[in-house]
Amino acid sequence: MTKSYVDEQLAKLNEGSSGGDSGTVGETALEVVTVPSGKTLMAGQGTEVIVRVGKAIVYSSDSNGIADLTGGEDLKNGTAITKNHLILFPRAGRGILPDPAQTNGLTVLVRGSYTIQ
């Protein structure tokens, strides 16, 4: 899959949102989130994330990972996440963090629940 395919799918998803309620994120809306260096975005069950800026690493509290739907693979704890890939968090207790080798954080698109820790 290519970046243009991902962009096309994102555009289709955003067509369904009315954009009338500022400050309210609907079911299909993607939220732009900044993850500061040294912090972790912990995703809720069923949350989807797309890394847009920065290098991201998988965090998992157990031996299972997260699903890279674009690449068609399971990403284990400590694995790098490819930019512009759609990532699905099948369960809570998993997240992403900025690569410790970079000084800047991450900019990601999120659909679903999350916390920054």
Side-chain angles (χ1 to χ4, degrees):
M1 307 224 167
T2 64
K3 180 185 177 310
S4 61
Y5 172 79
V6 172
D7 289 342
E8 177 183 313
Q9 297 307 310
L10 290 173
K12 285 181 184 177
L13 290 173
N14 285 329
E15 286 174 3
S17 62
S18 66
D21 293 330
S22 62
T24 310
V25 179
E27 282 186 46
T28 60
L30 291 164
E31 181 181 355
V32 177
V33 177
T34 300
V35 183
S37 185
K39 299 286 187 178
T40 302
L41 181 146
M42 295 298 292
Q45 180 173 324
T47 296
E48 299 171 328
V49 172
I50 300 171
V51 177
R52 294 292 293 155
V53 177
K55 294 180 182 177
I57 303 292
V58 174
Y59 169 79
S60 180
S61 59
D62 57 30
S63 62
N64 295 310
I66 59 178
D68 178 346
L69 300 178
T70 306
E73 58 187 322
D74 192 41
L75 304 176
K76 303 291 184 187
N77 189 43
T79 304
I81 300 171
T82 305
K83 275 191 224 177
N84 299 314
H85 278 212
L86 179 60
I87 306 300
L88 175 68
F89 293 83
R91 296 183 183 199
R94 299 170 188 166
I96 62 170
L97 62 144
D99 186 327
Q102 71 181 17
T103 57
N104 296 331
L106 300 172
T107 301
V108 297
L109 298 173
V110 180
R111 181 186 359 263
S113 63
Y114 69 91
T115 60
I116 304 288
Q117 302 178 355

